[in-house]
């Protein structure tokens, strides 16, 4: 994912989000490199506010807190927040996963919550 420094007052998130194509290239010696390919057209987005953050997706361990959302389809395991629900009537849904949480709270965090 990548996002600019603008802030949507309703969500507190960036107004300009975009996926980033990723791949892993392996050299002849076996060394691997994570390659990020941001779409160059994104940087021509009207109103784009710098700096822009490009954040690659990382694999999740079973004990990691994370969340995903309609506009953040990749894991946000490095986030200090654990989001769930919606801030705009359901256009953008957020789902959280807390490590080690079971029972009704865990089910609530897994559920798509709409208000």
């Amino acid at each position: 994912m990548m996002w600019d420094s603008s802030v949507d007052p309703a969500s507190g998130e960036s107004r300009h989000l975009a996926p980033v194509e990723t791949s892993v290239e392996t050299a002849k010696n076996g060394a691997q490199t994570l390659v990020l390919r941001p779409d160059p057209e994104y940087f021509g987005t009207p109103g784009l506010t710098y700096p822009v953050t490009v954040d690659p997706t990382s694999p999740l361990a079973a004990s990691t807190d994370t969340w995903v959302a309609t506009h953040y389809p990749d894991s946000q395991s490095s986030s200090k927040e654990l989001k769930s629900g919606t801030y705009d009537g359901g256009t953008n849904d957020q789902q959280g996963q807390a490590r080690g949480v079971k029972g009704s709270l865990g089910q609530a965090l897994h559920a798509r919550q709409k208000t």
Side-chain angles (χ1 to χ4, degrees):
M1 271 318 269
M2 63 181 163
W3 56 90
D4 75 340
S5 297
S6 66
V7 177
D8 180 314
S11 69
E13 304 292 341
S14 169
R15 292 181 185 197
H16 304 105
L17 306 163
V20 174
E21 181 183 332
T22 61
S23 62
V24 176
E25 294 181 356
T26 304
K28 289 181 182 179
N29 67 0
Q32 294 186 316
T33 302
L34 176 63
V35 178
L36 307 175
R37 292 184 181 86
D39 183 350
E41 291 184 19
Y42 172 83
F43 297 97
T45 301
L48 193 71
T49 305
Y50 285 89
V52 170
T53 300
V54 178
D55 189 14
T57 302
S58 63
L60 292 176
S63 63
T64 302
D65 295 341
T66 190
W67 59 271
V68 294
T70 304
H71 58 287
Y72 281 105
D74 297 331
S75 166
Q76 300 299 309
S77 59
S78 62
S79 175
K80 293 180 181 177
E81 303 167 307
L82 187 58
K83 297 186 176 191
S84 184
T86 184
Y87 60 87
D88 59 5
T91 301
N92 289 292
D93 287 331
Q94 303 166 130
Q95 299 179 43
Q97 168 65 52
R99 69 174 164 246
V101 176
K102 297 182 180 179
S104 60
L105 176 58
Q107 292 168 352
L109 290 172
H110 290 309
R112 296 181 90 167
Q113 298 179 13
K114 297 188 181 213
T115 56

PDB file of all heavy atoms in Angstrom, residues 69-93:
ATOM      1  N   ALA A  69      -8.961  -3.058   5.860  1.00  0.00           N
ATOM      2  CA  ALA A  69     -10.128  -2.235   5.559  1.00  0.00           C
ATOM      3  C   ALA A  69     -10.346  -2.210   4.061  1.00  0.00           C
ATOM      4  O   ALA A  69      -9.468  -2.602   3.289  1.00  0.00           O
ATOM      5  CB  ALA A  69      -9.928  -0.810   6.087  1.00  0.00           C
ATOM      6  N   THR A  70     -11.513  -1.745   3.660  1.00  0.00           N
ATOM      7  CA  THR A  70     -11.833  -1.642   2.248  1.00  0.00           C
ATOM      8  C   THR A  70     -10.719  -0.913   1.507  1.00  0.00           C
ATOM      9  O   THR A  70     -10.296  -1.330   0.444  1.00  0.00           O
ATOM     10  CB  THR A  70     -13.163  -0.881   2.065  1.00  0.00           C
ATOM     11  OG1 THR A  70     -14.175  -1.545   2.829  1.00  0.00           O
ATOM     12  CG2 THR A  70     -13.575  -0.833   0.616  1.00  0.00           C
ATOM     13  N   HIS A  71     -10.210   0.168   2.074  1.00  0.00           N
ATOM     14  CA  HIS A  71      -9.186   0.970   1.421  1.00  0.00           C
ATOM     15  C   HIS A  71      -7.761   0.610   1.859  1.00  0.00           C
ATOM     16  O   HIS A  71      -6.807   1.219   1.397  1.00  0.00           O
ATOM     17  CB  HIS A  71      -9.458   2.461   1.620  1.00  0.00           C
ATOM     18  CG  HIS A  71      -9.529   2.862   3.061  1.00  0.00           C
ATOM     19  ND1 HIS A  71     -10.595   2.535   3.866  1.00  0.00           N
ATOM     20  CD2 HIS A  71      -8.666   3.541   3.829  1.00  0.00           C
ATOM     21  CE1 HIS A  71     -10.375   3.011   5.079  1.00  0.00           C
ATOM     22  NE2 HIS A  71      -9.213   3.627   5.085  1.00  0.00           N
ATOM     23  N   TYR A  72      -7.598  -0.336   2.751  1.00  0.00           N
ATOM     24  CA  TYR A  72      -6.303  -0.866   3.164  1.00  0.00           C
ATOM     25  C   TYR A  72      -6.386  -2.395   3.112  1.00  0.00           C
ATOM     26  O   TYR A  72      -6.525  -3.055   4.135  1.00  0.00           O
ATOM     27  CB  TYR A  72      -5.966  -0.476   4.611  1.00  0.00           C
ATOM     28  CG  TYR A  72      -5.453   0.918   4.821  1.00  0.00           C
ATOM     29  CD1 TYR A  72      -6.274   1.893   5.367  1.00  0.00           C
ATOM     30  CD2 TYR A  72      -4.147   1.248   4.505  1.00  0.00           C
ATOM     31  CE1 TYR A  72      -5.806   3.167   5.588  1.00  0.00           C
ATOM     32  CE2 TYR A  72      -3.665   2.530   4.723  1.00  0.00           C
ATOM     33  CZ  TYR A  72      -4.496   3.485   5.273  1.00  0.00           C
ATOM     34  OH  TYR A  72      -4.037   4.747   5.494  1.00  0.00           O
ATOM     35  N   PRO A  73      -6.317  -2.997   1.920  1.00  0.00           N
ATOM     36  CA  PRO A  73      -6.514  -4.444   1.826  1.00  0.00           C
ATOM     37  C   PRO A  73      -5.351  -5.277   2.358  1.00  0.00           C
ATOM     38  O   PRO A  73      -5.500  -6.466   2.585  1.00  0.00           O
ATOM     39  CB  PRO A  73      -6.700  -4.671   0.330  1.00  0.00           C
ATOM     40  CG  PRO A  73      -5.960  -3.539  -0.323  1.00  0.00           C
ATOM     41  CD  PRO A  73      -6.128  -2.371   0.619  1.00  0.00           C
ATOM     42  N   ASP A  74      -4.196  -4.654   2.569  1.00  0.00           N
ATOM     43  CA  ASP A  74      -3.046  -5.369   3.105  1.00  0.00           C
ATOM     44  C   ASP A  74      -3.055  -5.292   4.630  1.00  0.00           C
ATOM     45  O   ASP A  74      -3.614  -4.373   5.207  1.00  0.00           O
ATOM     46  CB  ASP A  74      -1.742  -4.758   2.591  1.00  0.00           C
ATOM     47  CG  ASP A  74      -1.609  -4.863   1.080  1.00  0.00           C
ATOM     48  OD1 ASP A  74      -2.151  -5.808   0.505  1.00  0.00           O
ATOM     49  OD2 ASP A  74      -0.962  -3.979   0.494  1.00  0.00           O
ATOM     50  N   SER A  75      -2.395  -6.240   5.247  1.00  0.00           N
ATOM     51  CA  SER A  75      -2.294  -6.247   6.701  1.00  0.00           C
ATOM     52  C   SER A  75      -1.678  -4.961   7.221  1.00  0.00           C
ATOM     53  O   SER A  75      -0.718  -4.441   6.669  1.00  0.00           O
ATOM     54  CB  SER A  75      -1.424  -7.423   7.138  1.00  0.00           C
ATOM     55  OG  SER A  75      -1.043  -7.263   8.482  1.00  0.00           O
ATOM     56  N   GLN A  76      -2.212  -4.476   8.308  1.00  0.00           N
ATOM     57  CA  GLN A  76      -1.674  -3.299   8.993  1.00  0.00           C
ATOM     58  C   GLN A  76      -1.050  -3.736  10.317  1.00  0.00           C
ATOM     59  O   GLN A  76      -1.270  -3.127  11.357  1.00  0.00           O
ATOM     60  CB  GLN A  76      -2.789  -2.265   9.200  1.00  0.00           C
ATOM     61  CG  GLN A  76      -3.403  -1.780   7.916  1.00  0.00           C
ATOM     62  CD  GLN A  76      -2.389  -1.104   7.013  1.00  0.00           C
ATOM     63  OE1 GLN A  76      -1.661  -0.211   7.425  1.00  0.00           O
ATOM     64  NE2 GLN A  76      -2.323  -1.526   5.771  1.00  0.00           N
ATOM     65  N   SER A  77      -0.270  -4.813  10.262  1.00  0.00           N
ATOM     66  CA  SER A  77       0.292  -5.394  11.481  1.00  0.00           C
ATOM     67  C   SER A  77       1.251  -4.459  12.203  1.00  0.00           C
ATOM     68  O   SER A  77       1.490  -4.622  13.384  1.00  0.00           O
ATOM     69  CB  SER A  77       0.983  -6.720  11.177  1.00  0.00           C
ATOM     70  OG  SER A  77       2.018  -6.524  10.235  1.00  0.00           O
ATOM     71  N   SER A  78       1.801  -3.471  11.519  1.00  0.00           N
ATOM     72  CA  SER A  78       2.704  -2.536  12.191  1.00  0.00           C
ATOM     73  C   SER A  78       1.969  -1.328  12.765  1.00  0.00           C
ATOM     74  O   SER A  78       2.565  -0.478  13.416  1.00  0.00           O
ATOM     75  CB  SER A  78       3.787  -2.066  11.216  1.00  0.00           C
ATOM     76  OG  SER A  78       3.200  -1.381  10.133  1.00  0.00           O
ATOM     77  N   SER A  79       0.660  -1.275  12.563  1.00  0.00           N
ATOM     78  CA  SER A  79      -0.140  -0.158  13.044  1.00  0.00           C
ATOM     79  C   SER A  79      -0.260  -0.193  14.563  1.00  0.00           C
ATOM     80  O   SER A  79      -0.301  -1.261  15.173  1.00  0.00           O
ATOM     81  CB  SER A  79      -1.539  -0.221  12.429  1.00  0.00           C
ATOM     82  OG  SER A  79      -2.379   0.771  12.961  1.00  0.00           O
ATOM     83  N   LYS A  80      -0.345   0.984  15.167  1.00  0.00           N
ATOM     84  CA  LYS A  80      -0.555   1.062  16.613  1.00  0.00           C
ATOM     85  C   LYS A  80      -2.038   1.034  16.951  1.00  0.00           C
ATOM     86  O   LYS A  80      -2.415   1.095  18.104  1.00  0.00           O
ATOM     87  CB  LYS A  80       0.093   2.327  17.161  1.00  0.00           C
ATOM     88  CG  LYS A  80       1.594   2.292  17.046  1.00  0.00           C
ATOM     89  CD  LYS A  80       2.217   3.545  17.594  1.00  0.00           C
ATOM     90  CE  LYS A  80       3.716   3.463  17.432  1.00  0.00           C
ATOM     91  NZ  LYS A  80       4.400   4.660  17.875  1.00  0.00           N
ATOM     92  N   GLU A  81      -2.889   0.955  15.919  1.00  0.00           N
ATOM     93  CA  GLU A  81      -4.340   0.939  16.107  1.00  0.00           C
ATOM     94  C   GLU A  81      -4.884  -0.448  15.785  1.00  0.00           C
ATOM     95  O   GLU A  81      -4.250  -1.220  15.089  1.00  0.00           O
ATOM     96  CB  GLU A  81      -4.993   1.945  15.156  1.00  0.00           C
ATOM     97  CG  GLU A  81      -4.469   3.347  15.330  1.00  0.00           C
ATOM     98  CD  GLU A  81      -4.890   4.252  14.203  1.00  0.00           C
ATOM     99  OE1 GLU A  81      -4.664   3.900  13.036  1.00  0.00           O
ATOM    100  OE2 GLU A  81      -5.457   5.312  14.499  1.00  0.00           O
ATOM    101  N   LEU A  82      -6.066  -0.743  16.279  1.00  0.00           N
ATOM    102  CA  LEU A  82      -6.791  -1.949  15.930  1.00  0.00           C
ATOM    103  C   LEU A  82      -8.197  -1.509  15.567  1.00  0.00           C
ATOM    104  O   LEU A  82      -9.016  -1.235  16.444  1.00  0.00           O
ATOM    105  CB  LEU A  82      -6.806  -2.945  17.095  1.00  0.00           C
ATOM    106  CG  LEU A  82      -7.400  -4.308  16.794  1.00  0.00           C
ATOM    107  CD1 LEU A  82      -6.669  -5.001  15.653  1.00  0.00           C
ATOM    108  CD2 LEU A  82      -7.366  -5.186  18.032  1.00  0.00           C
ATOM    109  N   LYS A  83      -8.450  -1.378  14.277  1.00  0.00           N
ATOM    110  CA  LYS A  83      -9.706  -0.794  13.818  1.00  0.00           C
ATOM    111  C   LYS A  83     -10.743  -1.859  13.537  1.00  0.00           C
ATOM    112  O   LYS A  83     -10.428  -2.967  13.124  1.00  0.00           O
ATOM    113  CB  LYS A  83      -9.456   0.026  12.550  1.00  0.00           C
ATOM    114  CG  LYS A  83      -8.531   1.191  12.803  1.00  0.00           C
ATOM    115  CD  LYS A  83      -8.424   2.058  11.586  1.00  0.00           C
ATOM    116  CE  LYS A  83      -7.578   3.274  11.905  1.00  0.00           C
ATOM    117  NZ  LYS A  83      -7.654   4.273  10.860  1.00  0.00           N
ATOM    118  N   SER A  84     -12.002  -1.486  13.730  1.00  0.00           N
ATOM    119  CA  SER A  84     -13.121  -2.365  13.432  1.00  0.00           C
ATOM    120  C   SER A  84     -14.347  -1.496  13.204  1.00  0.00           C
ATOM    121  O   SER A  84     -14.521  -0.466  13.859  1.00  0.00           O
ATOM    122  CB  SER A  84     -13.363  -3.326  14.595  1.00  0.00           C
ATOM    123  OG  SER A  84     -14.381  -4.234  14.272  1.00  0.00           O
ATOM    124  N   GLY A  85     -15.193  -1.887  12.263  1.00  0.00           N
ATOM    125  CA  GLY A  85     -16.422  -1.146  12.010  1.00  0.00           C
ATOM    126  C   GLY A  85     -16.313  -0.243  10.808  1.00  0.00           C
ATOM    127  O   GLY A  85     -15.568  -0.507   9.874  1.00  0.00           O
ATOM    128  N   THR A  86     -17.087   0.841  10.826  1.00  0.00           N
ATOM    129  CA  THR A  86     -17.113   1.783   9.714  1.00  0.00           C
ATOM    130  C   THR A  86     -17.296   3.195  10.245  1.00  0.00           C
ATOM    131  O   THR A  86     -17.850   3.394  11.318  1.00  0.00           O
ATOM    132  CB  THR A  86     -18.240   1.434   8.713  1.00  0.00           C
ATOM    133  OG1 THR A  86     -18.175   2.330   7.603  1.00  0.00           O
ATOM    134  CG2 THR A  86     -19.607   1.499   9.352  1.00  0.00           C
ATOM    135  N   TYR A  87     -16.788   4.163   9.516  1.00  0.00           N
ATOM    136  CA  TYR A  87     -16.955   5.563   9.902  1.00  0.00           C
ATOM    137  C   TYR A  87     -17.842   6.311   8.915  1.00  0.00           C
ATOM    138  O   TYR A  87     -18.121   7.477   9.107  1.00  0.00           O
ATOM    139  CB  TYR A  87     -15.599   6.270  10.015  1.00  0.00           C
ATOM    140  CG  TYR A  87     -14.813   6.260   8.721  1.00  0.00           C
ATOM    141  CD1 TYR A  87     -15.001   7.250   7.766  1.00  0.00           C
ATOM    142  CD2 TYR A  87     -13.901   5.259   8.461  1.00  0.00           C
ATOM    143  CE1 TYR A  87     -14.298   7.230   6.575  1.00  0.00           C
ATOM    144  CE2 TYR A  87     -13.198   5.235   7.276  1.00  0.00           C
ATOM    145  CZ  TYR A  87     -13.401   6.222   6.341  1.00  0.00           C
ATOM    146  OH  TYR A  87     -12.702   6.196   5.166  1.00  0.00           O
ATOM    147  N   ASP A  88     -18.286   5.620   7.834  1.00  0.00           N
ATOM    148  CA  ASP A  88     -19.035   6.319   6.796  1.00  0.00           C
ATOM    149  C   ASP A  88     -20.258   5.539   6.311  1.00  0.00           C
ATOM    150  O   ASP A  88     -20.591   5.559   5.143  1.00  0.00           O
ATOM    151  CB  ASP A  88     -18.133   6.665   5.623  1.00  0.00           C
ATOM    152  CG  ASP A  88     -17.500   5.437   4.986  1.00  0.00           C
ATOM    153  OD1 ASP A  88     -17.828   4.298   5.399  1.00  0.00           O
ATOM    154  OD2 ASP A  88     -16.690   5.610   4.070  1.00  0.00           O
ATOM    155  N   GLY A  89     -20.912   4.848   7.208  1.00  0.00           N
ATOM    156  CA  GLY A  89     -22.139   4.138   6.867  1.00  0.00           C
ATOM    157  C   GLY A  89     -21.931   2.858   6.079  1.00  0.00           C
ATOM    158  O   GLY A  89     -22.869   2.334   5.483  1.00  0.00           O
ATOM    159  N   GLY A  90     -20.715   2.329   6.032  1.00  0.00           N
ATOM    160  CA  GLY A  90     -20.477   1.038   5.406  1.00  0.00           C
ATOM    161  C   GLY A  90     -19.724   1.065   4.097  1.00  0.00           C
ATOM    162  O   GLY A  90     -19.382   0.016   3.569  1.00  0.00           O
ATOM    163  N   THR A  91     -19.449   2.250   3.549  1.00  0.00           N
ATOM    164  CA  THR A  91     -18.663   2.296   2.320  1.00  0.00           C
ATOM    165  C   THR A  91     -17.268   1.747   2.572  1.00  0.00           C
ATOM    166  O   THR A  91     -16.722   1.011   1.766  1.00  0.00           O
ATOM    167  CB  THR A  91     -18.573   3.737   1.779  1.00  0.00           C
ATOM    168  OG1 THR A  91     -19.898   4.205   1.524  1.00  0.00           O
ATOM    169  CG2 THR A  91     -17.758   3.805   0.505  1.00  0.00           C
ATOM    170  N   ASN A  92     -16.682   2.089   3.709  1.00  0.00           N
ATOM    171  CA  ASN A  92     -15.377   1.576   4.108  1.00  0.00           C
ATOM    172  C   ASN A  92     -15.527   0.769   5.387  1.00  0.00           C
ATOM    173  O   ASN A  92     -15.801   1.325   6.445  1.00  0.00           O
ATOM    174  CB  ASN A  92     -14.390   2.735   4.333  1.00  0.00           C
ATOM    175  CG  ASN A  92     -14.000   3.399   3.041  1.00  0.00           C
ATOM    176  OD1 ASN A  92     -13.326   2.799   2.221  1.00  0.00           O
ATOM    177  ND2 ASN A  92     -14.435   4.626   2.852  1.00  0.00           N
ATOM    178  N   ASP A  93     -15.379  -0.542   5.273  1.00  0.00           N
ATOM    179  CA  ASP A  93     -15.440  -1.433   6.428  1.00  0.00           C
ATOM    180  C   ASP A  93     -14.031  -1.712   6.921  1.00  0.00           C
ATOM    181  O   ASP A  93     -13.096  -1.832   6.135  1.00  0.00           O
ATOM    182  CB  ASP A  93     -16.083  -2.770   6.049  1.00  0.00           C
ATOM    183  CG  ASP A  93     -17.569  -2.660   5.825  1.00  0.00           C
ATOM    184  OD1 ASP A  93     -18.198  -1.792   6.450  1.00  0.00           O
ATOM    185  OD2 ASP A  93     -18.097  -3.435   5.019  1.00  0.00           O
TER     186      ASP A  93
END
